[in-house]
mmCIF file of all heavy atoms in Angstrom:
data_model
loop_
_atom_site.group_PDB
_atom_site.id
_atom_site.type_symbol
_atom_site.label_atom_id
_atom_site.label_comp_id
_atom_site.label_asym_id
_atom_site.label_seq_id
_atom_site.Cartn_x
_atom_site.Cartn_y
_atom_site.Cartn_z
ATOM 1 N N LEU S 362 1.589 -29.930 -71.725
ATOM 2 C CA LEU S 362 2.785 -29.499 -72.448
ATOM 3 C C LEU S 362 4.037 -30.109 -71.842
ATOM 4 O O LEU S 362 4.918 -30.595 -72.563
ATOM 5 C CB LEU S 362 2.892 -27.969 -72.439
ATOM 6 C CG LEU S 362 1.982 -27.239 -73.435
ATOM 7 C CD1 LEU S 362 2.092 -25.735 -73.250
ATOM 8 C CD2 LEU S 362 2.325 -27.622 -74.866
ATOM 9 N N SER S 363 4.129 -30.116 -70.523
ATOM 10 C CA SER S 363 5.336 -30.681 -69.917
ATOM 11 C C SER S 363 5.360 -32.189 -70.127
ATOM 12 O O SER S 363 6.424 -32.788 -70.287
ATOM 13 C CB SER S 363 5.421 -30.306 -68.442
ATOM 14 O OG SER S 363 4.538 -31.095 -67.685
ATOM 15 N N GLY S 364 4.160 -32.805 -70.136
ATOM 16 C CA GLY S 364 4.100 -34.227 -70.461
ATOM 17 C C GLY S 364 4.660 -34.508 -71.841
ATOM 18 O O GLY S 364 5.397 -35.476 -72.041
ATOM 19 N N PHE S 365 4.340 -33.656 -72.775
ATOM 20 C CA PHE S 365 4.881 -33.813 -74.125
ATOM 21 C C PHE S 365 6.396 -33.692 -74.110
ATOM 22 O O PHE S 365 7.105 -34.435 -74.794
ATOM 23 C CB PHE S 365 4.282 -32.759 -75.056
ATOM 24 C CG PHE S 365 2.880 -33.063 -75.488
ATOM 25 C CD1 PHE S 365 2.016 -32.045 -75.880
ATOM 26 C CD2 PHE S 365 2.408 -34.367 -75.533
ATOM 27 C CE1 PHE S 365 0.718 -32.326 -76.283
ATOM 28 C CE2 PHE S 365 1.113 -34.653 -75.933
ATOM 29 C CZ PHE S 365 0.271 -33.630 -76.308
ATOM 30 N N GLY S 366 6.864 -32.730 -73.330
ATOM 31 C CA GLY S 366 8.315 -32.557 -73.234
ATOM 32 C C GLY S 366 8.987 -33.833 -72.750
ATOM 33 O O GLY S 366 9.959 -34.311 -73.351
ATOM 34 N N GLU S 367 8.424 -34.411 -71.671
ATOM 35 C CA GLU S 367 8.981 -35.676 -71.158
ATOM 36 C C GLU S 367 8.929 -36.767 -72.227
ATOM 37 O O GLU S 367 9.875 -37.527 -72.401
ATOM 38 C CB GLU S 367 8.188 -36.144 -69.944
ATOM 39 C CG GLU S 367 8.520 -35.391 -68.670
ATOM 40 C CD GLU S 367 7.629 -35.877 -67.526
ATOM 41 O OE1 GLU S 367 7.403 -37.100 -67.449
ATOM 42 O OE2 GLU S 367 7.154 -35.025 -66.752
ATOM 43 N N LEU S 368 7.797 -36.813 -72.910
ATOM 44 C CA LEU S 368 7.643 -37.824 -73.946
ATOM 45 C C LEU S 368 8.776 -37.735 -74.959
ATOM 46 O O LEU S 368 9.349 -38.754 -75.379
ATOM 47 C CB LEU S 368 6.293 -37.611 -74.661
ATOM 48 C CG LEU S 368 5.816 -38.741 -75.560
ATOM 49 C CD1 LEU S 368 5.361 -39.915 -74.723
ATOM 50 C CD2 LEU S 368 4.698 -38.268 -76.482
ATOM 51 N N THR S 369 9.113 -36.518 -75.324
ATOM 52 C CA THR S 369 10.171 -36.333 -76.311
ATOM 53 C C THR S 369 11.497 -36.877 -75.804
ATOM 54 O O THR S 369 12.197 -37.598 -76.527
ATOM 55 C CB THR S 369 10.323 -34.841 -76.648
ATOM 56 O OG1 THR S 369 9.081 -34.348 -77.125
ATOM 57 C CG2 THR S 369 11.382 -34.642 -77.730
ATOM 58 N N THR S 370 11.834 -36.533 -74.562
ATOM 59 C CA THR S 370 13.135 -37.003 -74.078
ATOM 60 C C THR S 370 13.129 -38.521 -73.915
ATOM 61 O O THR S 370 14.114 -39.186 -74.266
ATOM 62 C CB THR S 370 13.507 -36.332 -72.745
ATOM 63 O OG1 THR S 370 12.479 -36.598 -71.790
ATOM 64 C CG2 THR S 370 13.628 -34.824 -72.908
ATOM 65 N N MET S 371 12.022 -39.070 -73.405
ATOM 66 C CA MET S 371 11.956 -40.528 -73.294
ATOM 67 C C MET S 371 12.096 -41.176 -74.674
ATOM 68 O O MET S 371 12.803 -42.171 -74.848
ATOM 69 C CB MET S 371 10.634 -40.951 -72.677
ATOM 70 C CG MET S 371 10.575 -40.790 -71.170
ATOM 71 S SD MET S 371 8.955 -41.238 -70.529
ATOM 72 C CE MET S 371 8.681 -42.836 -71.309
ATOM 73 N N PHE S 372 11.407 -40.591 -75.620
ATOM 74 C CA PHE S 372 11.460 -41.106 -76.987
ATOM 75 C C PHE S 372 12.886 -41.035 -77.525
ATOM 76 O O PHE S 372 13.416 -42.021 -78.064
ATOM 77 C CB PHE S 372 10.503 -40.270 -77.846
ATOM 78 C CG PHE S 372 10.479 -40.623 -79.288
ATOM 79 C CD1 PHE S 372 10.139 -41.902 -79.718
ATOM 80 C CD2 PHE S 372 10.780 -39.663 -80.238
ATOM 81 C CE1 PHE S 372 10.108 -42.216 -81.067
ATOM 82 C CE2 PHE S 372 10.745 -39.970 -81.591
ATOM 83 C CZ PHE S 372 10.412 -41.246 -81.996
ATOM 84 N N ALA S 373 13.512 -39.897 -77.319
ATOM 85 C CA ALA S 373 14.887 -39.722 -77.819
ATOM 86 C C ALA S 373 15.815 -40.734 -77.166
ATOM 87 O O ALA S 373 16.666 -41.343 -77.835
ATOM 88 C CB ALA S 373 15.355 -38.290 -77.553
ATOM 89 N N ASN S 374 15.646 -40.939 -75.867
ATOM 90 C CA ASN S 374 16.529 -41.859 -75.154
ATOM 91 C C ASN S 374 16.305 -43.309 -75.555
ATOM 92 O O ASN S 374 17.187 -44.148 -75.405
ATOM 93 C CB ASN S 374 16.325 -41.723 -73.643
ATOM 94 C CG ASN S 374 16.817 -40.379 -73.144
ATOM 95 O OD1 ASN S 374 17.658 -39.739 -73.782
ATOM 96 N ND2 ASN S 374 16.278 -39.938 -72.016
ATOM 97 N N ALA S 375 15.115 -43.592 -76.047
ATOM 98 C CA ALA S 375 14.809 -44.973 -76.409
ATOM 99 C C ALA S 375 15.412 -45.358 -77.754
ATOM 100 O O ALA S 375 15.361 -46.526 -78.142
ATOM 101 C CB ALA S 375 13.298 -45.170 -76.442
ATOM 102 N N LEU S 376 15.966 -44.385 -78.464
ATOM 103 C CA LEU S 376 16.485 -44.696 -79.803
ATOM 104 C C LEU S 376 17.954 -45.070 -79.747
ATOM 105 O O LEU S 376 18.776 -44.287 -79.268
ATOM 106 C CB LEU S 376 16.295 -43.485 -80.726
ATOM 107 C CG LEU S 376 14.851 -42.998 -80.877
ATOM 108 C CD1 LEU S 376 14.781 -41.876 -81.911
ATOM 109 C CD2 LEU S 376 13.918 -44.125 -81.238
ATOM 110 N N LYS S 423 6.721 -25.427 -80.978
ATOM 111 C CA LYS S 423 8.118 -25.748 -80.672
ATOM 112 C C LYS S 423 8.248 -27.237 -80.357
ATOM 113 O O LYS S 423 9.168 -27.902 -80.817
ATOM 114 C CB LYS S 423 8.587 -24.930 -79.475
ATOM 115 C CG LYS S 423 10.041 -25.237 -79.074
ATOM 116 C CD LYS S 423 10.458 -24.420 -77.866
ATOM 117 C CE LYS S 423 11.898 -24.739 -77.460
ATOM 118 N NZ LYS S 423 12.176 -26.186 -77.389
ATOM 119 N N TRP S 424 7.289 -27.753 -79.609
ATOM 120 C CA TRP S 424 7.358 -29.172 -79.259
ATOM 121 C C TRP S 424 7.301 -30.046 -80.506
ATOM 122 O O TRP S 424 8.089 -30.989 -80.651
ATOM 123 C CB TRP S 424 6.232 -29.567 -78.308
ATOM 124 C CG TRP S 424 6.238 -31.049 -78.072
ATOM 125 C CD1 TRP S 424 7.152 -31.740 -77.335
ATOM 126 C CD2 TRP S 424 5.347 -31.999 -78.648
ATOM 127 N NE1 TRP S 424 6.867 -33.079 -77.404
ATOM 128 C CE2 TRP S 424 5.773 -33.266 -78.198
ATOM 129 C CE3 TRP S 424 4.229 -31.917 -79.486
ATOM 130 C CZ2 TRP S 424 5.115 -34.439 -78.567
ATOM 131 C CZ3 TRP S 424 3.577 -33.082 -79.843
ATOM 132 C CH2 TRP S 424 4.018 -34.324 -79.394
ATOM 133 N N VAL S 425 6.393 -29.734 -81.400
ATOM 134 C CA VAL S 425 6.300 -30.523 -82.630
ATOM 135 C C VAL S 425 7.639 -30.481 -83.360
ATOM 136 O O VAL S 425 8.134 -31.508 -83.846
ATOM 137 C CB VAL S 425 5.169 -29.995 -83.547
ATOM 138 C CG1 VAL S 425 5.159 -30.757 -84.862
ATOM 139 C CG2 VAL S 425 3.821 -30.110 -82.854
ATOM 140 N N GLY S 426 8.228 -29.291 -83.384
ATOM 141 C CA GLY S 426 9.535 -29.164 -84.033
ATOM 142 C C GLY S 426 10.586 -30.011 -83.343
ATOM 143 O O GLY S 426 11.359 -30.728 -83.998
ATOM 144 N N ASP S 427 10.612 -29.966 -82.018
ATOM 145 C CA ASP S 427 11.598 -30.747 -81.266
ATOM 146 C C ASP S 427 11.405 -32.246 -81.494
ATOM 147 O O ASP S 427 12.369 -32.990 -81.669
ATOM 148 C CB ASP S 427 11.486 -30.451 -79.760
ATOM 149 C CG ASP S 427 11.943 -29.040 -79.438
ATOM 150 O OD1 ASP S 427 12.550 -28.396 -80.314
ATOM 151 O OD2 ASP S 427 11.672 -28.578 -78.311
ATOM 152 N N PHE S 428 10.149 -32.645 -81.440
ATOM 153 C CA PHE S 428 9.843 -34.064 -81.610
ATOM 154 C C PHE S 428 10.302 -34.543 -82.986
ATOM 155 O O PHE S 428 10.927 -35.599 -83.126
ATOM 156 C CB PHE S 428 8.340 -34.283 -81.427
ATOM 157 C CG PHE S 428 7.937 -35.706 -81.283
ATOM 158 C CD1 PHE S 428 8.075 -36.364 -80.071
ATOM 159 C CD2 PHE S 428 7.411 -36.406 -82.357
ATOM 160 C CE1 PHE S 428 7.702 -37.689 -79.927
ATOM 161 C CE2 PHE S 428 7.044 -37.732 -82.227
ATOM 162 C CZ PHE S 428 7.183 -38.373 -81.012
ATOM 163 N N THR S 429 9.985 -33.730 -83.981
ATOM 164 C CA THR S 429 10.406 -34.082 -85.339
ATOM 165 C C THR S 429 11.924 -34.110 -85.442
ATOM 166 O O THR S 429 12.501 -34.969 -86.121
ATOM 167 C CB THR S 429 9.827 -33.080 -86.347
ATOM 168 O OG1 THR S 429 8.428 -32.948 -86.124
ATOM 169 C CG2 THR S 429 10.076 -33.532 -87.777
ATOM 170 N N ALA S 430 12.557 -33.170 -84.731
ATOM 171 C CA ALA S 430 14.020 -33.089 -84.792
ATOM 172 C C ALA S 430 14.656 -34.379 -84.282
ATOM 173 O O ALA S 430 15.701 -34.811 -84.792
ATOM 174 C CB ALA S 430 14.514 -31.894 -83.980
ATOM 175 N N VAL S 431 14.023 -34.982 -83.272
ATOM 176 C CA VAL S 431 14.553 -36.253 -82.754
ATOM 177 C C VAL S 431 14.579 -37.298 -83.872
ATOM 178 O O VAL S 431 15.564 -38.046 -84.030
ATOM 179 C CB VAL S 431 13.697 -36.757 -81.572
ATOM 180 C CG1 VAL S 431 14.100 -38.176 -81.191
ATOM 181 C CG2 VAL S 431 13.832 -35.826 -80.384
ATOM 182 N N VAL S 432 13.512 -37.329 -84.646
ATOM 183 C CA VAL S 432 13.455 -38.291 -85.747
ATOM 184 C C VAL S 432 14.491 -37.927 -86.815
ATOM 185 O O VAL S 432 15.173 -38.803 -87.374
ATOM 186 C CB VAL S 432 12.035 -38.345 -86.347
ATOM 187 C CG1 VAL S 432 11.975 -39.338 -87.492
ATOM 188 C CG2 VAL S 432 11.016 -38.701 -85.278
ATOM 189 N N TYR S 459 2.086 -40.520 -87.486
ATOM 190 C CA TYR S 459 1.863 -40.830 -86.075
ATOM 191 C C TYR S 459 0.755 -39.956 -85.491
ATOM 192 O O TYR S 459 -0.190 -40.453 -84.859
ATOM 193 C CB TYR S 459 3.174 -40.636 -85.308
ATOM 194 C CG TYR S 459 3.040 -40.607 -83.827
ATOM 195 C CD1 TYR S 459 2.566 -41.710 -83.120
ATOM 196 C CD2 TYR S 459 3.396 -39.465 -83.099
ATOM 197 C CE1 TYR S 459 2.448 -41.681 -81.745
ATOM 198 C CE2 TYR S 459 3.291 -39.430 -81.726
ATOM 199 C CZ TYR S 459 2.811 -40.536 -81.052
ATOM 200 O OH TYR S 459 2.696 -40.495 -79.695
ATOM 201 N N PHE S 460 0.851 -38.648 -85.704
ATOM 202 C CA PHE S 460 -0.183 -37.735 -85.213
ATOM 203 C C PHE S 460 -1.540 -38.141 -85.757
ATOM 204 O O PHE S 460 -2.549 -38.123 -85.058
ATOM 205 C CB PHE S 460 0.115 -36.298 -85.634
ATOM 206 C CG PHE S 460 1.183 -35.636 -84.815
ATOM 207 C CD1 PHE S 460 1.812 -36.309 -83.774
ATOM 208 C CD2 PHE S 460 1.564 -34.326 -85.075
ATOM 209 C CE1 PHE S 460 2.800 -35.690 -83.022
ATOM 210 C CE2 PHE S 460 2.542 -33.700 -84.324
ATOM 211 C CZ PHE S 460 3.171 -34.384 -83.308
#
Side-chain angles (χ1 to χ4, degrees):
Chain S
L362 282 175
S363 77
F365 283 155
E367 283 177 40
L368 193 72
T369 302
T370 57
M371 281 177 49
F372 177 59
N374 292 337
L376 302 185
K423 179 181 179 312
W424 174 72
V425 176
D427 291 348
F428 193 80
T429 309
V431 170
V432 180
Y459 167 62
F460 283 0

